[in-house]
Amino acid sequence: CAHPQGTKCVSELLDAWLRIDSKNREAWNVRDNMGKCPKDLASGKTLELLEEWVAEDEEEDDTDDAEDDDGLTSTQRSKLKKKMLEASERAGAPRAVVVTKSNDEREEKSIDEDDENEIISTPEPITASSTASVSQVAPEPIWPEVIAWYEAVKNLRPIYEVSVSREDSESEPLPLFPDDTLIDPALWFCNSLNRLQLKLSPRLTILSSQLSRLTNLTILIVSGNGLEALPDCIEQLPLKSLDASRNAIRTLPKMPHKTLEALDMAVNQLSDIESLSECANLVSLALDNNPDLSSLSPLPFDQMKRIISISASHAAIAELDPGLGSLVKLETLILSHNPFTELPPALAACKKLKLIKVDSTKISDNKVLGYIDKGEMKQLAKYWEKNSAKSTGGGGKKGKKR
């Protein structure tokens, strides 16, 4: 259908034609809200199919297929619905996934909201591009939060956020699922999720690569566990925000650099951030309390046009990269408890800088510390600019004429 509201028109076509029987052709004249009847709206091929279907009506053997109240046999209705849904797809209507009740047989069909088939309660397997190796069928959900997701999907009301928090203690330890995991395996089949939060136990040391099933996930919060690493599939997800603070992570995998905007890796055991070398879209970065982190230099400073906040206190940073001066939108820089001796004067170019924290560092320039304590960022920038001019031979008083 070439009508501007193609999907709606196709739906009205289907409703009209389902009312046709062998003695009634009035549905030819049913018109939509723009005065168009089915015959006007159908494309050439669809119109041909509809006329062919009408011609078949009187020849149908009613002894094989009982008629319903709409005058159509089940065979006619099935044929018509298939043809109209094909036309609907060409007009841009969405597809949905349907499964049979058997776990051994799965099929994908186009359906509308009135279809009585069982809506899929488990998502399709991940694509061939994924690195995860997983089973074809979702296990039975155990966690109430996951059960709720499955029920919501069956009722055509998908849930987009799941938050799971559990208390773990020696007296009442969290139960293990198959494969010795603390996470309900059915969680990885909740493929409508765009936000997931997991706070379980220091015994949670690894996330399954089945995380890659959650292809709509934009926010992942796994802080306060015992993770020693993040799965490589993190790079495949469309994450905008990742909070993996307060774990035991030593190295980072490649990040989804095209989408990632907020990263919190505070209170871990990172020694370098090489994997962030392409994360030019970061807006907020927290690296506090990584005692072995010695440098911020891997960051692509010259490309980071959106970064507003960088926090890397309680680390081992002995020298700061002058590239920090290219962060034109930087507002907050927190670098307390580090062994560096000076801030790069290039920071004078960060005109939006509002807050700098350098408590317990080895900066010896009292003027710099004074301006920072008073929050006088403009005066600090002028001081740096003046000193830079002197060091390059510019400025100073003019000599007297003789």
Side-chain angles (χ1 to χ4, degrees):
C1 173
H3 195 274
Q5 294 179 329
T7 302
K8 183 176 181 181
C9 290
V10 169
S11 177
E12 292 183 0
L13 273 172
L14 180 58
D15 291 340
W17 279 100
L18 286 176
R19 292 196 293 271
I20 298 176
D21 60 30
S22 60
K23 297 179 181 180
N24 180 14
R25 298 294 183 270
E26 293 182 0
W28 275 105
N29 301 317
V30 174
R31 298 182 181 277
D32 66 7
N33 57 356
M34 298 188 71
K36 301 291 186 179
C37 68
K39 190 173 182 179
D40 296 328
L41 298 175
S43 65
K45 184 175 181 180
T46 304
L47 182 58
E48 184 179 324
L49 292 172
L50 290 172
E51 291 175 338
E52 177 185 339
W53 174 79
V54 173
E56 294 176 357
D57 184 68
E58 294 181 356
E59 300 176 2
E60 191 71 37
D61 186 358
D62 292 340
T63 60
D64 295 332
D65 299 297
E67 293 188 355
D68 206 341
D69 293 339
D70 56 15
L72 300 179
T73 65
S74 59
T75 301
Q76 290 172 333
R77 191 177 303 104
S78 177
K79 286 182 179 179
L80 179 60
K81 199 165 190 179
K82 180 178 180 181
K83 292 172 183 177
M84 294 309 299
L85 286 171
E86 289 174 350
S88 176
E89 284 183 22
R90 290 193 292 271
R95 288 179 64 85
V97 179
V98 183
V99 292
T100 60
K101 291 186 178 181
S102 169
N103 283 335
D104 297 325
E105 296 181 359
R106 304 176 57 127
E107 58 178 338
E108 184 174 302
K109 300 177 181 178
S110 294
I111 62 170
D112 56 26
E113 291 186 358
D114 296 326
D115 200 301
E116 294 181 356
N117 288 314
E118 180 186 359
I119 302 299
I120 185 168
S121 60
T122 59
E124 287 291 294
I126 53 180
T127 61
S129 62
S130 172
T131 59
S133 175
V134 295
S135 62
Q136 296 293 310
V137 180
E140 190 72 20
I142 304 298
W143 281 349
E145 297 89 345
V146 180
I147 293 173
W149 182 89
Y150 279 70
E151 293 298 324
V153 169
K154 286 182 180 180
N155 294 326
L156 299 180
R157 297 179 181 274
I159 293 174
Y160 300 100
E161 299 184 7
V162 165
S163 179
V164 181
S165 180
R166 299 285 189 271
E167 295 293 333
D168 187 32
S169 64
E170 292 184 3
S171 59
E172 295 183 9
L174 291 176
L176 291 175
F177 291 92
D179 299 327
D180 293 330
T181 177
L182 291 171
I183 298 176
D184 183 351
L187 173 66
W188 309 125
F189 291 79
C190 299
N191 60 359
S192 70
L193 296 183
N194 55 39
R195 184 182 188 275
L196 173 62
Q197 181 172 5
L198 295 174
K199 187 178 185 302
L200 300 176
S201 164
R203 291 192 294 134
L204 179 63
T205 59
I206 191 169
L207 289 178
S208 170
S209 60
Q210 291 197 47
L211 177 67
S212 62
R213 281 184 175 273
L214 306 183
T215 55
N216 295 305
L217 196 65
T218 58
I219 300 174
L220 176 61
I221 303 171
V222 288
S223 59
N225 294 291
L227 295 175
E228 297 175 356
L230 294 173
D232 291 339
C233 66
I234 284 282
E235 184 185 13
Q236 302 172 18
L237 301 177
L239 289 179
K240 290 186 177 181
S241 177
L242 171 59
D243 182 354
S245 60
R246 292 179 290 118
N247 281 285
I249 299 171
R250 295 181 179 275
T251 59
L252 290 175
K254 285 188 176 181
M255 291 288 159
H257 61 272
K258 293 182 178 180
T259 59
L260 191 62
E261 298 178 347
L263 177 62
D264 190 345
M265 293 300 304
V267 195
N268 275 286
Q269 298 178 25
L270 298 177
S271 58
D272 69 73
I273 52 172
E274 292 291 339
S275 60
L276 304 184
S277 61
E278 298 181 14
C279 294
N281 288 316
L282 283 173
V283 176
S284 172
L285 175 62
L287 298 167
D288 307 276
N289 290 94
N290 283 280
D292 297 325
L293 182 63
S294 59
S295 177
L296 298 177
S297 294
L299 294 174
F301 294 119
D302 58 334
Q303 302 174 43
M304 301 177 78
K305 306 303 181 184
R306 303 178 63 199
I307 191 78
I308 292 176
S309 173
I310 295 178
S311 181
S313 62
H314 295 272
I317 301 172
E319 186 176 355
L320 294 172
D321 194 312
L324 285 166
S326 62
L327 306 180
V328 294
K329 291 191 175 181
L330 188 65
E331 296 181 7
T332 301
L333 182 61
I334 300 177
L335 299 168
S336 302
H337 297 273
N338 276 287
F340 60 82
T341 58
E342 64 177 358
L343 291 170
L347 283 170
C350 301
K351 302 300 182 182
K352 294 191 175 183
L353 199 55
K354 298 177 182 178
L355 176 65
I356 297 178
K357 286 190 176 182
V358 287
D359 303 329
S360 299
T361 62
K362 296 183 178 181
I363 295 176
S364 58
D365 192 326
N366 290 327
K367 284 191 175 182
V368 170
L369 295 174
Y371 288 132
I372 290 175
D373 289 341
K374 295 176 183 178
E376 296 176 344
M377 296 299 106
K378 290 184 179 180
Q379 288 80 353
L380 177 59
K382 289 179 180 179
Y383 175 72
W384 275 330
E385 290 171 350
K386 182 179 178 181
N387 285 350
S388 295
K390 287 181 178 180
S391 64
T392 56
K397 295 181 179 179
K398 293 182 179 180
K400 294 182 180 180
K401 292 184 179 179
R402 293 186 178 180

